[in-house]
Amino acid sequence: MSESHQMLVYAHGVEIGKIDSEEYAQLKRDVRKTPSIYLMQAANMVYSMMSFIGNVMIITPIFVFWLAVAVMAVMVADPASASQIVAAMHSRFSQGQPLFSMDDIQTMLMTLSVFAIIAGALLIAVRGRLPGFVNVFDDEISRRIKMRLKQPVYGDLFLVEASLGEAIKKLDGAGGGE
């Protein structure tokens, strides 16, 4: 049998109560046994992915626009190479060939797909998570702890073992305050 410890519960850096570590572990087990939480988390993941796809759909046309601006700048800066490109496109078009072959279109789509993946990875790296992602399990555990402590606080909770919390309080007190 494991030894039970008191945990200090903090919200916004302020202690709001104490909870027994065994009771905290039981709350976590109860949340993990609740099927509706899994459904809510799955729905949140779908929402996050749809939000991610929406962001990529916004970023891709912006990228294509600036790519076109860059191509126009190259055409202005080096008209000789630009005229060669235009002549090649004109000869294909005048021979009745499509301007872009299926291979060209597939290459462009693959390039845009790679760009979308890189943009998404950068978005996740900057934000630390998918846009719109919420850990429903943590939110439910926090909600149950708040109900148990009868504290209507808003925001995330931070739990610290009581012995460590007391040591931190002593260090804060020894530092001479603000």
Side-chain angles (χ1 to χ4, degrees), residues 25-46:
Q26 184 60 44
L27 280 173
K28 287 173 59 174
R29 284 191 294 271
D30 290 346
V31 167
R32 290 190 179 115
K33 289 179 185 176
T34 308
S36 62
I37 302 294
Y38 287 92
L39 184 61
M40 289 172 20
Q41 188 67 61
N44 181 257
M45 286 299 295
V46 168

Side-chain angles (χ1 to χ4, degrees), residues 82-120:
S83 63
Q84 290 175 353
I85 293 170
V86 170
M89 290 171 58
H90 177 67
S91 69
R92 284 186 79 160
F93 188 71
S94 63
Q95 294 171 0
Q97 296 176 342
L99 196 54
F100 297 109
S101 68
M102 284 305 289
D103 289 338
D104 294 337
I105 293 171
Q106 287 174 346
T107 303
M108 284 188 277
L109 288 176
M110 289 302 293
T111 303
L112 286 176
S113 298
V114 168
F115 169 74
I117 291 169
I118 291 170

Side-chain angles (χ1 to χ4, degrees), residues 4-24:
S4 180
H5 301 289
Q6 287 288 313
M7 311 262 309
L8 300 177
V9 181
Y10 289 89
H12 306 289
V14 177
E15 182 182 336
I16 62 169
K18 294 181 181 180
I19 189 169
D20 188 63
S21 62
E22 287 295 323
E23 189 175 357
Y24 175 64

Side-chain angles (χ1 to χ4, degrees), residues 3 10 13 35 37 39 46 50-51 67 70 77 79 122 132 157 163 169:
E3 186 178 320
Y10 289 89
I37 302 294
L39 184 61
V46 168
M50 296 303 287
S51 178
L67 183 64
L122 288 174
L157 298 181
S163 60
K169 285 180 188 177

Side-chain angles (χ1 to χ4, degrees), residues 128-147:
R129 58 182 164 73
L130 280 171
F133 177 78
V134 175
N135 189 335
V136 178
F137 291 96
D138 284 350
D139 284 356
E140 182 63 17
I141 291 168
S142 292
R143 187 186 71 77
R144 291 183 186 198
I145 290 173
K146 291 171 191 175
M147 286 176 42

